[in-house]
Amino acid sequence: MPVGFANSSTPVEIRNLWRTPDFAFVPLNNEFRFALDVAADAMNAKVPDNFITAEENALTVSWADRIPAGKPLTAWCNPPYDNIQPWLDKAHFEASTRGLTTVCFVPLTPDAGWWPTNASEIRQITGVRRKGDARNISGRVKFIRADTGKPVNGQNKGSCYIIFAPFTLGNMTTKYVPITQLIDDFETFQDMTDCGVYDA
């Protein structure tokens, strides 16, 4: 069984194909304007017009060279969770040698052996405490199952963004982002897009 999936009941063939929900991507895209998705296929690419497939092997090609002229040197990476380390190493390499900023969306597991010490920033998605008897809101992201297209409950870990950016590598600044803020930012963006105020 792949590393990182010791207790997973998900079929092996789709474990690395789950999709990031839009609310966890769009607010970061609004900030970074991603020009490339480095770990995707046609079904789950968050940058649908420019992505690197498993067949192309993103760990062996230049990410910066895949950025179209005039686009920002930014990439999105939701790597296969059974082997995260090489993706973080590659993101660091691209930042330090090619000037590319990469945002990696990974499990919040700072006790893991792959947890970086050379990133620019960590943004942890947090839950939200509600007043009175209202139920608190979990910060765990429900990913979209590859075979059904439905969000799945029961995540046993939180999620975070690990950012590798030129000139700030090694800062390891930590920030906390309430899951409700991501959802609100996403819904605001949707409203602005629907009204024609914002051109995606």
Side-chain angles (χ1 to χ4, degrees):
M1 187 170 288
V3 175
F5 288 104
N7 297 314
S8 176
S9 60
T10 305
V12 173
E13 60 273 12
I14 65 166
R15 283 184 184 166
N16 285 323
L17 300 178
W18 288 31
R19 205 165 66 240
T20 306
D22 287 343
F23 80 82
F25 170 77
V26 168
L28 277 293
N29 188 46
N30 287 343
E31 177 180 352
F32 290 95
R33 309 306 295 171
F34 297 116
L36 175 67
D37 187 336
V38 300
D41 62 26
M43 295 294 292
N44 64 20
K46 303 310 282 187
V47 184
D49 58 343
N50 194 23
F51 57 91
I52 302 175
T53 66
E55 291 73 25
E56 294 176 277
N57 193 352
L59 297 176
T60 64
V61 300
S62 168
W63 296 353
D65 286 348
R66 294 290 296 266
I67 304 294
K71 295 281 189 175
L73 282 173
T74 55
W76 169 260
C77 179
N78 183 0
Y81 281 12
D82 62 355
N83 193 16
I84 293 173
Q85 180 72 65
W87 296 87
L88 302 185
D89 292 344
K90 176 68 168 171
H92 183 273
F93 174 82
E94 291 281 338
S96 63
T97 65
R98 309 300 302 279
L100 179 79
T101 295
T102 302
V103 176
C104 300
F105 193 48
V106 299
L108 177 59
T109 49
D111 58 334
W114 55 259
W115 190 257
T117 58
N118 56 5
S120 299
E121 183 181 326
I122 311 289
R123 295 187 192 176
Q124 299 183 20
I125 299 176
T126 66
V128 177
R129 182 178 179 183
R130 302 173 78 185
K131 295 180 179 178
D133 295 331
R135 186 173 179 175
N136 291 341
I137 299 171
S138 168
R140 293 182 180 175
V141 173
K142 297 177 183 178
F143 286 83
I144 311 300
R145 191 174 165 114
D147 54 352
T148 66
K150 304 289 186 184
V152 179
N153 293 320
Q155 289 289 71
N156 60 4
K157 293 182 176 66
S159 297
C160 68
Y161 306 96
I162 299 181
I163 301 168
F164 294 88
F167 311 116
T168 57
L169 293 170
N171 285 3
M172 293 293 289
T173 304
T174 301
K175 296 180 180 177
Y176 302 92
V177 183
I179 195 167
T180 49
Q181 179 182 326
L182 291 171
I183 294 169
D184 289 347
D185 289 350
F186 168 66
E187 290 176 350
T188 297
F189 169 79
Q190 291 296 100
D191 290 344
M192 292 174 68
T193 302
D194 292 343
C195 294
V197 175
Y198 188 93
D199 182 8

